[in-house]
C-alpha cells in the first residue's frame, strides 16, 4: 500500500492577491518561489475583483480559510478603510498592500516603502543623511515616505507634474522630518538620490527634469521596471550617474516583507529577482 505523506492530507494555508486588472501580477510566481526556497506549504492565487466587491471578496476569502493577502490597484485605499488595525506605516501612508488576520481582526500593512528601502540598502545606497528627490505624488510615493524617513535622510523634496498633490503630501508628512515640495519644472539643487515614482516610464516619457540636477545625483532609482532600462535610467546613464536602478528589486522586496509577516521567515530575494528578470 502506498503511504500518503501526512502534509499532503492537510489543507494548505491560502494566500492571494486582490486586484483589477490582475492577470499581469507576478505575485503568485514570487510567493511560490519564496515558499519553495523556505520550504513552506502554501498556495497563492490571483483574485480578480469587481470594483464594488472588494469587502465581500475579502470576507469570502477569509470564510474559505484565507490566511493573508496582497492588495494591488485599485483597492489599496479601500483595504486601508476596511482594516480593524493598521501598522504605523500603513496608517501614515493611507494605503494597505498586505492583509492578515489576528483572531477575527483584519490587519493591514504597507510593505512598499520597506521594500524600496531594502532594495536601496542592498544596492549600497546610503540613506542616512541623504538628500532625496522624490518625483511623483501618487499612491506609490505616498506609500514609501514613512519608510524613507525611518532611515533618517537629511531631507526629502517631492516634485510632481500637478504641484498641488506634491504640496498635499509634504504637508501630510511634515511631522516625520524635513519635507518640502515643488513643481516638476522648478526642481533645483543637489540631491544624492533621485527616485522616479511617476508612471511616466510606463509610456516611455522622459521627465522634464533639469540635466544638472540629475547629473549631480549619486543614484537614480526608477520604481518602474522592464526588460530594458527605463527612459529615466537611460537619462541618468547618459548624464554619467554611476548608479541607476529599476523597481524590480522593490517589487521582490515588498513581497518578501509580506511573506515574512505571514510566515515568520525571511526568503532570500536574489534567486527570485534573477528568475523574474530573465522572464521580463
Ligand atoms: P499613480 O497613478 O497613483 O500616480 C502616478 C504619478 O505619476 C502621479 O504623480 C502623476 O502625476 C505622475 N505621472 C503620470 N504620467 C506622467 C507623465 N507623463 N509625466 C510626469 N508625471 C506623470 O501611480 P502609482 O503611484 O501607483 O505608481 C507610480 C509608478 O510606480 C508606476 O510606474 C508603478 O508601476 C510604480 N510602482 C512600482 C512598484 C514596485 O514595487 N516596483 C510598486 C508601486 C508602484 P499627476 O499627479 O500630475 O497626474
Amino acid at each position: 500500500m502506498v503511504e500518503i505523506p501526512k502534509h499532503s492530507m492537510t489543507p494548505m494555508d491560502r494566500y492571494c492577491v486582490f486586484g483589477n486588472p490582475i492577470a499581469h501580477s507576478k505575485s503568485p510566481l514570487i510567493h511560490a518561489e519564496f515558499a519553495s526556497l523556505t520550504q513552506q506549504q502554501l498556495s497563492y492565487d490571483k483574485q480578480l475583483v469587481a470594483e464594488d466587491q472588494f469587502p465581500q471578496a475579502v470576507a469570502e476569502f477569509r470564510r474559505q480559510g484565507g490566511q493573508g493577502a496582497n492588495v494591488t490597484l485599485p483597492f489599496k485605499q479601500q483595504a486601508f478603510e476596511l482594516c480593524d488595525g493598521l501598522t504605523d506605516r500603513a496608517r501614515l501612508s493611507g494605503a494597505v498592500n498586505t492583509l492578515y488576520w489576528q483572531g477575527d481582526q483584519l490587519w493591514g500593512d504597507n510593505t512598499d516603502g520597506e521594500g524600496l528601502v531594502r532594495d536601496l540598502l542592498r544596492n549600497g545606497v546610503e540613506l542616512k543623511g541623504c538628500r532625496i528627490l522624490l518625483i511623483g505624488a501618487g499612491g506609490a510615493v505616498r506609500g514609501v515616505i514613512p519608510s524613507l524617513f525611518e532611515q533618517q535622510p537629511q531631507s526629502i523634496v517631492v516634485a510632481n507634474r500637478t504641484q498641488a498633490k506634491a504640496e498635499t503630501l509634504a504637508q501630510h508628512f511634515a511631522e516625520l522630518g524635513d519635507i518640502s515640495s515643488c513643481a516638476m519644472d522648478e526642481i533645483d539643487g543637489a540631491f544624492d538620490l533621485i527616485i522616479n515614482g511617476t508612471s511616466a516610464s510606463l509610456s516611455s516619457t522622459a521627465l522634464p527634469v533639469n540635466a544638472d540636477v540629475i547629473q549631480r545625483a549619486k543614484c537614480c532609482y526608477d520604481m518602474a521596471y522592464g526588460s530594458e532600462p527605463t527612459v529615466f535610467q537611460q537619462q541618468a546613464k547618459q548624464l554619467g550617474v554611476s548608479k541607476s536602478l529599476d523597481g524590480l528589486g522593490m517589487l521582490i522586496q515588498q513581497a518578501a516583507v509580506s511573506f515574512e509577516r505571514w510566515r515568520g521567515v525571511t526568503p532570500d530575494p536574489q534567486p527570485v529577482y534573477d528568475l523574474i528578470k530573465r522572464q521580463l
Side-chain angles (χ1 to χ4, degrees):
M1 195 174 81
V2 179
E3 198 171 313
I4 301 169
K6 215 174 179 180
H7 68 258
S8 69
M9 293 189 292
T10 50
M12 275 201 272
D13 288 345
R14 287 189 62 199
Y15 299 86
C16 78
V17 55
F18 295 110
N20 188 344
I22 198 65
H24 66 286
S25 174
K26 299 193 188 322
S27 294
L29 174 59
I30 295 170
H31 284 281
E33 288 299 313
F34 285 164
S36 158
L37 285 166
T38 57
Q39 294 165 345
Q40 301 278 305
Q41 297 285 323
L42 59 87
S43 71
Y44 187 113
D45 308 308
K46 294 174 193 173
Q47 295 231 2
L48 177 67
V49 179
E51 298 230 357
D52 59 351
Q53 290 294 309
F54 180 69
Q56 291 87 334
V58 174
E60 178 58 19
F61 179 66
R62 180 60 172 168
R63 204 185 57 74
Q64 291 176 8
Q67 304 279 302
N70 285 127
V71 180
T72 188
L73 294 178
F75 299 119
K76 289 185 181 185
Q77 234 162 330
Q78 276 195 56
F80 172 83
E81 281 152 23
L82 191 64
C83 285
D84 304 306
L86 296 162
T87 61
D88 284 349
R89 58 195 180 199
R91 187 175 43 75
L92 285 165
S93 64
V96 157
N97 77 341
T98 304
L99 295 171
Y100 55 101
W101 281 268
Q102 291 190 341
D104 287 340
Q105 304 266 295
L106 176 63
W107 275 73
D109 191 8
N110 189 322
T111 65
D112 281 339
E114 177 74 19
L116 171 66
V117 164
R118 284 191 190 185
D119 193 41
L120 286 164
L121 297 177
R122 197 175 157 84
N123 280 288
V125 179
E126 176 74 51
L127 290 171
K128 190 165 181 180
C130 178
R131 294 159 302 177
I132 302 175
L133 170 62
L134 257 177
I135 307 175
V141 165
R142 195 184 175 92
V144 301
I145 292 174
S147 297
L148 286 172
F149 268 127
E150 275 176 18
Q151 299 299 310
Q152 302 176 317
Q154 189 183 109
S155 56
I156 296 180
V157 174
V158 184
N160 193 44
R161 185 175 61 179
T162 310
Q163 190 184 353
K165 286 196 206 166
E167 254 173 54
T168 304
L169 281 196
Q171 280 166 12
H172 179 78
F173 290 110
E175 280 179 13
L176 297 186
D178 180 347
I179 183 164
S180 56
S181 66
C182 66
M184 186 96 78
D185 53 8
E186 284 173 357
I187 300 170
D188 196 16
F191 301 95
D192 304 297
L193 169 63
I194 303 177
I195 300 171
N196 178 16
T198 74
S199 30
S201 298
L202 303 179
S203 56
S204 297
T205 309
L207 294 174
V209 179
N210 200 323
D212 281 357
V213 172
I214 296 181
Q215 223 154 19
R216 279 185 269 175
K218 293 182 193 135
C219 174
C220 285
Y221 191 102
D222 198 333
M223 287 195 200
Y225 57 85
S227 52
E228 302 296 327
T230 67
V231 172
F232 180 61
Q233 284 184 286
Q234 290 171 34
Q235 263 179 306
K237 198 168 177 213
Q238 277 158 16
L239 291 167
V241 178
S242 56
K243 195 170 279 194
S244 99
L245 304 165
D246 73 15
L248 181 59
M250 173 180 170
L251 177 79
I252 309 289
Q253 294 279 13
Q254 62 77 28
V257 182
S258 300
F259 192 89
E260 237 173 76
R261 173 158 299 285
W262 295 328
R263 308 300 298 180
V265 287
T266 307
D268 178 2
Q270 192 63 48
V272 185
Y273 179 94
D274 294 339
L275 175 76
I276 307 265
K277 190 82 191 168
R278 283 196 299 275
Q279 293 186 357
L280 286 176

